[in-house]
Amino acid sequence: MPDTARAARPGALHPDRALPADPVTRPVARRILEATRDLPIVSMHGHVDAGVLARDEPFGDPASLLVVPDHYLVRMLVSQGVPHEALGLARRDGGPVEQDPRAIWRTFAAHWHLFRGTPTRFWLDHVLVEVLGVTQRLSAETADAAYDTIAARLVEPGFRPLSLLDRFGIEVLATTDPATADLADHAALADRGWGERVVPTFRPDAVLHVDRPGWAADVARLGELAGVDIGSYQGFVRALELRRQAFVAAGARATDHGHVRADTTPMTLHEASAVFDAALRGDVDAAAARAFSAHMLFEMARMSTQDGLVMQLHPGALRDHDPGIAARYGHDVGYDVPVVTEYVHALRPLLTAFGHHPGMRLVLFTLDEDTFTRELAPLAGVYPAVRLGAPWWFLDTPDGMRRFREAVTDTAGFANTTGFVDDTRAFLSIPARHDLARRVDAGFLARLVVEHRLDLDEALETAVDLAYRIPRDAYARRAEVLP
Amino acid sequence: MPDTARAARPGALHPDRALPADPVTRPVARRILEATRDLPIVSMHGHVDAGVLARDEPFGDPASLLVVPDHYLVRMLVSQGVPHEALGLARRDGGPVEQDPRAIWRTFAAHWHLFRGTPTRFWLDHVLVEVLGVTQRLSAETADAAYDTIAARLVEPGFRPLSLLDRFGIEVLATTDPATADLADHAALADRGWGERVVPTFRPDAVLHVDRPGWAADVARLGELAGVDIGSYQGFVRALELRRQAFVAAGARATDHGHVRADTTPMTLHEASAVFDAALRGDVDAAAARAFSAHMLFEMARMSTQDGLVMQLHPGALRDHDPGIAARYGHDVGYDVPVVTEYVHALRPLLTAFGHHPGMRLVLFTLDEDTFTRELAPLAGVYPAVRLGAPWWFLDTPDGMRRFREAVTDTAGFANTTGFVDDTRAFLSIPARHDLARRVDAGFLARLVVEHRLDLDEALETAVDLAYRIPRDAYARRAEVLP
Amino acid sequence: MPDTARAARPGALHPDRALPADPVTRPVARRILEATRDLPIVSMHGHVDAGVLARDEPFGDPASLLVVPDHYLVRMLVSQGVPHEALGLARRDGGPVEQDPRAIWRTFAAHWHLFRGTPTRFWLDHVLVEVLGVTQRLSAETADAAYDTIAARLVEPGFRPLSLLDRFGIEVLATTDPATADLADHAALADRGWGERVVPTFRPDAVLHVDRPGWAADVARLGELAGVDIGSYQGFVRALELRRQAFVAAGARATDHGHVRADTTPMTLHEASAVFDAALRGDVDAAAARAFSAHMLFEMARMSTQDGLVMQLHPGALRDHDPGIAARYGHDVGYDVPVVTEYVHALRPLLTAFGHHPGMRLVLFTLDEDTFTRELAPLAGVYPAVRLGAPWWFLDTPDGMRRFREAVTDTAGFANTTGFVDDTRAFLSIPARHDLARRVDAGFLARLVVEHRLDLDEALETAVDLAYRIPRDAYARRAEVLP
């Protein structure tokens, strides 16, 4: 047995990482992976801030770049007793939190062992070694040296955000933007010739959930931007249509929708108007708000058949499981937890209406892998409008992505999936995430080859499809691909 | 690495296909598979039309044999934008559809790549190479040559249906027949000496779902065939009992039941009569119809304890997800989608009443693999009446069958499963399906052997059990196996 | 291929059993396993009767030791038609059952093939070969010889229960004891110096489910033992607090809770008092009883924050699926069946209140593996109070434990699990169960190493963590680990 112990760690990523172990499958996987190595990255769903790219300023310190904003990291450290304050998470009450980035980094590094076996570890190893040149394993002892290495790297000119887009080989990057975004950052990027490579995504959640605190203000802002009186439901719908057109003009290819349920049951105009009017009066209950948001998903689909924006649906996350944490530290700090998600009945209204419409494309994501074989693959395997998004969030892992392929390929094949989307706000980890996805797909395809379920030439072609052609085509605005 | 690229494709199926890749397990799997190679096929649950066998006429053209009626194929092509009309699916409104079988075949062949990684591809490879002698991979270029090869083969005398029964080594084939079947085809087959090899299965769904369009006519027909006045619930029950007896006389060994839910809650005689009477008046709501169908499952179990017919339950498919498609092209064209299925509470009435009855055998199927370890294996692992049917429909795949064994064997062992049932209406694919199942079971057993969890002699015996002895015995009518 | 057929069976367990087959991974797994071989057993959740240890008398005959009380064995034999009576299960009506242990043993041995591929087979092979010296495979032919070998072994002085604690290398063993236990056996053990090694666990289920037959008597007994008037809800709560203190004094480290649902919704004092009073009057309905038991889980958590007892929750088992069987043979004879279990909403009240409390530790178990990635790992991966218990009952198997690690490690890592708990009442199988768990973990860690997702030194350290350090620390009473 080769000794791969600590002393032998070469400070470089192993070329066979995340490929299947058995000696028959691995060389086939390696060959398939090779076919995708030089392909550009198509990153059609992510959460990188467009402003970061538009300003193109150097990143901050190692902690505020890599630790504080990464909810994967924060939640693991918190789960083992590290206080949020020690990680520098700002408190809403202004209470004291750790301000020294080096101290935050040391806390993180001292708990590196917690990430053993996790995708966070896999991604960070890639970021540290390949992107930042840190070759020692993180620990309390190596924390300072790693910090210094990273800090020095971050001020190099080649580490500005737009330079990294080139270095990472990112052909196109989609950001996620609220319906009330003024798109100024995208305009600035377009002015400088980056308009084709950095595109916005229309995310109207904030204005579709009418019982959200701040909803009325967001809707007012929506009306302003659209130049429409949103005093009525019809005005609201019109404003949404106009904002979608503005996003299309700014290069958007898709919309994105985060709802707890996938329900798409439409209301009558009368019903929808009544809820909208009640919401404007601040007099709407949770059930009506839920029904309205389901109705608006149906409306978003209807609009997609007109403007060709690809519709992405991300249901099934219960946000802020502990409301006290949200009150103290805000949202997106690791307390969102998946719940059972139903698609078959929920999507029936939308799919019956638009499932065969040539202008419709619906990309479905899930946090509930129980639905892979039971619901999602059967739906994607028959409705022309449906594609399956990549395994998402808690499922975006070596084993999660493998299970996804093993589960959905039988019924949906490869062509009814979208290929990989990285869904990350951690800019430096984009290459790591695409690299891992390509490795997992190479391993899956290799198994099909060595089990004589697929010929090698087909596997090689499919690997390129999954890494490049399919995501590029899946997110082509429908108006572009149809006459 | 051996080059298994396209040019090297030998036009023959690889002997190790679908066996585990690792070099330690594969030779053990090969040896276990060898033990089942010459066993006859016991096909106790399928959808081959008895009339096809009774008439024993040549099959039609390649498209109408292999493409048009296969909902697996149709749904995949439709999912990627091929119109139903291009595949020759008849429209209920008589609208124009492609009539030329060669054109339909070309459309199918040009989309062959969509089936990469799917079981459809695996089955069709077997049918094309082993049964039909097509040795080139399908594509737009090879479509015509393949068509001609198949068309020529189909008119050979050895390709009549009954000849194929022999060629395929099918010891017994069960068809699926409505409660209102006159069983004339089976009588004709029996007259010609095939009565032991082709047996009917009693499927009363059409008369148990009282809110079905056409229910009243079917019930009237049921009464006629049984010679019973079905003006009352008691007459209806009596007619069902008599029809079951007619099926038993025709060689039937089992009943089959497709319900959305597995609910088996019985009604009182008074309640059941009230629903039945209302249904005759055409005045029954969905809830009452649902309750009645649950009650009738309980009744079917009661009858099984008297006539010994094995009871098969296939819950969990929502039929015709898009009603517009059903209205245009009819049922069974690929729009049935699985839903969450609950067994533990649903079957409690039936199992409490009959779960230990020596005349009862209940074979459970599922489209919801979440129930494998949580519900199905625990139930089958204690109730003497229960057996687990093979992975079904969307789960009848290399990985699906592997997951089934990995999930249920721990708690249910092998003896509480039924062995493989092919559940197919694609006659030519019956050997392919049994072949695949034997390969997956050989792979699973080989893993147990190389992990020293089972001795090889036990694995060899178990392989034969699963391929032959268990399905034969599982579907023996209980009156035959009990004193 | 090596012939591992029956004749070659060496009468010894294979050193590589349950390790991954592929020739690259196995040697790494073997080395990792080696690191845990000599570690003591920490058995923090089991069902060995404290009286057996306190009395320290020889075990009975082979059948009453190994067959009759083992519901895994009984349920499998029953599922294939063996009557309960033939297995010697006492009937509540006093009806005749097999009394001859040798006859019971013969029936069991003749059905040995039913356990192929099951964990029962794996455990029993270990017990028979390693503990009892039976080297021939069980069968009708070998039944008597095996019986004689075992019977002779059981009367050896070294086979007294306390001797086996030493022989098995059990550092600490937790029993499970009702809230109404007088703890006399533990006191006797403590008097003889075993107080640190055999500790009780507080299990109050019987007094928390107010609609249970016998509830009032149990509550009365609780009051007596606590010396508290339990005529009021406040008295009831006080009695529970005092009993927990008595358990703490006797060395208890944890509580244990078996509920059908994981619901932890608290009631107001007024509501709780009303249900309690109604229950004392014998006038409580199922819904109120359910709500009260949820409330009491919340209360148990509150008490844990005060006395530091680790709280274990085992939801999701529907007891006595066939009530007729329970009426005839009693509980725990194999008819408990898992049901869908929901954690995210159910635990929200408890976790919002105590999820970050330094005195709180909640160990979650499940019979519903669908919740691994969707609910349990995300909750354990953020709340400091939560740890994931080992795969339980129907999931405590080679493949079940592998799936657990593959599913939860991504999000919860290793440190948020508890390591293995054996949960067994089969005393002789404790080493077998820990051995199997260590093998599965070694295999999982080896795969991470050979896929270059973890370095070998980290895997070696993690293996020791999982086998020893983590279970020891996870069940440390919180008052001991906190200032």
Side-chain angles (χ1 to χ4, degrees), chain A residues 397-449:
Chain A
T397 73
D399 288 316
M401 291 192 282
R402 174 180 53 80
R403 287 194 300 267
F404 172 78
R405 288 280 176 224
E406 290 179 1
V408 309
T409 307
D410 290 332
T411 297
F414 294 105
N416 286 310
T417 65
T418 62
F420 186 64
V421 302
D422 54 70
D423 190 39
T424 188
R425 60 195 77 224
F427 187 35
L428 297 196
S429 80
I430 291 176
R433 290 165 191 246
H434 286 263
D435 172 68
L436 178 56
R438 292 175 186 188
R439 290 172 180 277
V440 173
D441 283 342
F444 178 70
L445 288 164
R447 186 164 72 85
L448 294 183
V449 170

Side-chain angles (χ1 to χ4, degrees), chain C residues 43-66:
Chain C
S43 176
M44 293 313 302
H45 180 94
H47 298 285
V48 172
D49 178 8
V52 165
L53 297 166
R55 289 188 297 275
D56 199 30
E57 294 168 352
F59 291 106
D61 63 87
S64 62
L65 174 63
L66 297 172

Side-chain angles (χ1 to χ4, degrees), chain C residues 22-341:
Chain C
D22 93 73
V24 175
T25 309
R26 179 165 288 182
V28 180
R30 208 185 279 142
R31 176 154 170 193
I32 294 170
L33 177 65
E34 184 63 33
T36 68
R37 193 182 305 277
D38 298 325
L39 294 174
I41 286 175
V42 176
S43 176
M44 293 313 302
H45 180 94
H47 298 285
V48 172
D49 178 8
V52 165
L53 297 166
R55 289 188 297 275
D56 199 30
E57 294 168 352
F59 291 106
D61 63 87
S64 62
L65 174 63
L66 297 172
V67 180
V68 185
D70 189 326
H71 56 81
Y72 288 100
L73 264 68
V74 167
R75 73 193 321 273
M76 178 63 91
L77 295 168
V78 165
S79 78
Q80 287 286 313
V82 178
H84 296 81
E85 284 77 2
L87 298 170
L89 269 79
R91 280 173 56 165
R92 288 192 162 178
D93 65 2
V97 305
E98 182 58 64
Q99 301 286 347
D100 178 9
R102 188 176 290 269
I104 295 168
W105 180 262
R106 283 176 181 158
T107 296
F108 162 59
H111 290 85
W112 182 242
H113 60 280
L114 295 178
F115 297 96
R116 290 175 183 170
T118 69
T120 299
R121 158 69 177 266
F122 192 94
W123 300 326
L124 278 172
D125 264 343
H126 189 286
V127 170
L128 291 170
V129 173
E130 289 284 298
V131 182
L132 296 168
V134 174
T135 56
Q136 280 190 297
R137 187 194 292 170
L138 284 192
S139 68
E141 292 72 34
T142 64
D144 278 348
Y147 186 93
D148 292 337
T149 301
I150 299 168
R153 184 64 59 103
L154 294 183
V155 296
E156 293 176 11
F159 266 75
R160 299 279 174 102
L162 290 178
S163 299
L164 288 178
L165 270 192
D166 280 336
R167 175 170 165 188
F168 291 166
I170 298 175
E171 183 174 297
V172 57
L173 178 81
T175 63
T176 302
D177 310 87
T180 51
D182 62 12
L183 301 175
D185 292 322
H186 287 89
L189 284 161
D191 284 347
R192 289 150 64 191
W194 291 84
E196 295 293 307
R197 288 182 67 185
V198 182
V199 300
T201 300
F202 181 74
R203 179 141 183 171
D205 291 357
V207 294
L208 301 190
H209 300 302
V210 297
D211 57 350
R212 244 192 75 250
W215 174 79
D218 279 324
V219 168
R221 174 79 180 133
L222 184 81
E224 272 173 48
L225 282 164
V228 165
D229 175 4
I230 51 79
S232 73
Y233 170 72
Q234 285 97 330
F236 173 66
V237 167
R238 185 68 194 135
L240 286 166
E241 287 170 339
L242 290 170
R243 290 302 295 151
R244 292 173 62 112
Q245 289 176 17
F247 272 70
V248 167
R253 304 190 186 175
T255 70
D256 186 30
H257 305 276
H259 289 221
V260 177
R261 287 167 203 76
D263 187 13
T264 60
T265 308
M267 293 172 153
T268 63
L269 175 60
H270 181 75
E271 291 166 338
S273 294
V275 175
F276 184 82
D277 294 345
L280 283 184
R281 293 192 309 269
D283 177 30
V284 72
D285 64 16
R290 224 163 28 228
F292 188 81
S293 71
H295 164 72
M296 288 308 299
L297 278 186
F298 186 92
E299 277 295 287
M300 289 292 119
R302 183 187 60 74
M303 293 181 197
S304 277
T305 63
Q306 295 174 348
D307 59 26
L309 287 173
V310 172
M311 180 176 183
Q312 301 176 91
L313 181 56
H314 288 82
L318 180 73
R319 304 282 171 172
D320 299 326
H321 190 265
D322 185 334
I325 293 289
R328 185 179 286 234
Y329 307 104
H331 308 292
D332 301 324
V333 296
Y335 287 78
D336 303 335
V337 180
V339 291
V340 169
T341 312

Side-chain angles (χ1 to χ4, degrees), chain B residues 22-25 27-29 31 342-345 347-348 351-353 355-356 368-371 373-375 377-387 402-403 405-407 409-417 444 447-459 461-462 465, chain C residues 1-6 9 14 16-23 26 72 75-81 84 112-114 116-122 125 137 318-325 333-341 367-370 374 394-395 397-400 402-403:
Chain B
D22 93 75
V24 175
T25 309
V28 179
R31 176 155 170 193
E342 201 278 339
Y343 293 87
V344 176
H345 292 98
L347 295 175
R348 202 174 191 183
L351 291 174
T352 299
H356 295 81
D368 182 354
E369 58 183 328
D370 300 351
T371 62
T373 59
R374 190 183 57 221
E375 306 185 23
L379 289 172
V382 67
Y383 280 104
V386 177
R387 295 290 183 275
R402 173 180 55 78
R403 287 195 299 267
R405 288 282 175 222
E406 290 180 1
T409 307
D410 289 333
T411 297
F414 294 106
N416 286 311
T417 65
F444 177 70
R447 186 164 73 86
L448 294 183
V449 170
V450 296
E451 292 182 1
H452 305 287
R453 295 160 59 188
L454 196 67
D455 293 335
L456 180 60
D457 69 311
E458 298 175 297
E461 189 176 84
T462 303
D465 287 346
Chain C
M1 185 187 61
D3 190 324
T4 57
R6 190 167 187 171
R9 192 162 185 269
H14 197 286
D16 289 343
R17 62 194 182 280
L19 297 184
D22 93 73
R26 179 165 288 182
Y72 288 100
R75 73 193 321 273
M76 178 63 91
L77 295 168
V78 165
S79 78
Q80 287 286 313
H84 296 81
W112 182 242
H113 60 280
L114 295 178
R116 290 175 183 170
T118 69
T120 299
R121 158 69 177 266
F122 192 94
D125 264 343
R137 187 194 292 170
L318 180 73
R319 304 282 171 172
D320 299 326
H321 190 265
D322 185 334
I325 293 289
V333 296
Y335 287 78
D336 303 335
V337 180
V339 291
V340 169
T341 312
L367 296 171
D368 182 353
E369 58 183 327
D370 300 352
R374 190 183 57 221
F394 299 107
L395 303 177
T397 73
D399 287 316
R402 174 180 53 79
R403 286 195 300 267

Side-chain angles (χ1 to χ4, degrees), chain B residues 282-300:
Chain B
D283 178 29
V284 72
D285 63 16
R290 229 169 17 234
F292 188 81
S293 72
H295 164 73
M296 289 308 299
L297 278 185
F298 188 93
E299 278 295 285
M300 288 292 118

